[in-house]
Amino acid sequence: GAGVSQSPSNKVTEKGKDVELRCDPISGHTALYWYRQSLGQGLEFLIYFQGNSAPDKSGLPSDRFSAERTGGSVSTLTIQRTQQEDSAVYLCASSLRDSLLGSYNEQFFGPGTRLTVL
Amino acid sequence: AQSVSQHNHHVILSEAASLELGCNYSYGGTVNLFWYVQYPGQHLQLLLKYFSGDPLVKGIKGFEAEFIKSKFSFNLRKPSVQWSDTAEYFCAVNAINAGNMLTFGGGTRLMVKP
């Protein structure tokens, strides 16, 4: 079946501009996660959405970053007034809730969006 | 907050050599443990996972990992590597009852020489 998809695959923007990154999770997956992969910081958690609960935003690096998930499916990560240090690969993942344990299973990752801020 | 350490940043091996990549985490509670692999130009893929039960878990492509709770370790092993194993390997921890996010180690770049 279809995996996690992300768009665009590459985004080049100028410092100070806003960008929107999109994630389509695997159908039926109730949890959706955003991570960032950069040379200096490795793989960092940003935010996750769990069903209809309020998102866990504890990983967002600044208030320039925000994300929403509409209808429990597609998610958009928005970065306002981009800075050069925002350059990274932004990864989205989704997972399915274990009906017996009530916990979430492995996360399936998308191909990422490579963001370059000039 | 939990953290994950991978001791080897770069590993170079010849084909047929044995592989062991170290992973240690810091978290006192219950954890789920994962190894992900990223082949050149591809996205992250799950190699194997440990949730509970037998601490020796087997994954795809002949990889295995052993969870040693007393050492907070989850080392990845493969008895005989192939050139196609050239990739970056990430250990990750999900701390139960501390959110569902993964905390990743810094990654290990493995190069296998043919």
Side-chain angles (χ1 to χ4, degrees):
Chain A
V4 177
S5 61
Q6 293 185 244
S7 60
S9 54
N10 280 283
K11 176 71 177 179
V12 180
T13 190
E14 293 178 347
K15 179 181 172 181
K17 295 283 180 69
D18 297 351
V19 294
E20 284 189 354
L21 312 179
R22 177 188 166 105
C23 172
D24 279 276
I26 293 172
S27 177
H29 281 194
T30 51
L32 184 148
Y33 313 79
W34 284 98
Y35 295 87
R36 177 168 73 173
Q37 187 174 22
S38 57
L39 279 176
Q41 303 298 324
L43 269 158
E44 306 171 276
F45 162 74
L46 296 176
I47 184 172
Y48 91 90
F49 298 86
Q50 177 181 320
N52 295 321
S53 303
D56 182 332
K57 304 179 182 180
S58 60
L60 294 179
S62 78
D63 59 7
R64 295 186 295 104
F65 288 72
S66 63
E68 62 178 23
R69 189 177 185 193
T70 53
S73 180
V74 172
S75 177
T76 302
L77 177 70
T78 301
I79 309 173
Q80 296 178 309
R81 305 182 302 282
T82 52
Q83 303 294 311
Q84 288 182 329
E85 60 263 29
D86 299 335
S87 296
V89 176
Y90 288 82
L91 297 172
C92 177
S94 69
S95 68
L96 190 61
R97 189 178 182 91
D98 185 298
S99 58
L100 290 177
L101 299 176
S103 59
Y104 285 88
N105 287 319
E106 67 199 72
Q107 295 179 23
F108 294 83
F109 283 82
T113 293
R114 182 174 296 278
L115 175 66
T116 303
V117 182
L118 303 177
Chain B
Q2 61 270 25
S3 65
V4 181
S5 298
Q6 292 182 239
H7 317 300
N8 315 98
H9 299 292
H10 290 89
V11 174
I12 302 174
L13 295 173
S14 298
E15 276 195 316
S18 64
L19 171 71
E20 180 160 3
L21 301 182
C23 172
N24 286 87
Y25 66 93
S26 65
Y27 183 70
T30 304
V31 294
N32 293 331
L33 298 157
F34 306 83
W35 276 95
Y36 280 86
V37 60
Q38 190 168 29
Y39 297 104
Q42 298 187 27
H43 59 277
L44 278 167
Q45 302 171 40
L46 183 70
L47 261 184
L48 47 77
K49 62 187 178 186
Y50 172 81
F51 284 2
S52 64
D54 188 344
L56 182 63
V57 292
K58 296 190 184 298
I60 60 171
K61 303 186 180 185
F63 286 91
E64 65 178 32
E66 185 175 13
F67 171 46
I68 303 179
K69 189 174 181 179
S70 61
K71 295 185 178 180
F72 298 91
S73 70
F74 190 55
N75 292 354
L76 181 71
R77 299 194 292 251
K78 185 171 183 178
S80 175
V81 295
Q82 301 174 311
W83 175 79
S84 58
D85 294 325
T86 295
E88 188 160 16
Y89 293 80
F90 295 91
C91 180
V93 169
N94 164 224
I96 305 299
N97 299 324
N100 288 309
M101 71 287 286
L102 294 174
T103 300
F104 285 88
T108 298
R109 287 188 181 272
L110 171 66
M111 178 184 292
V112 180
K113 298 184 293 184

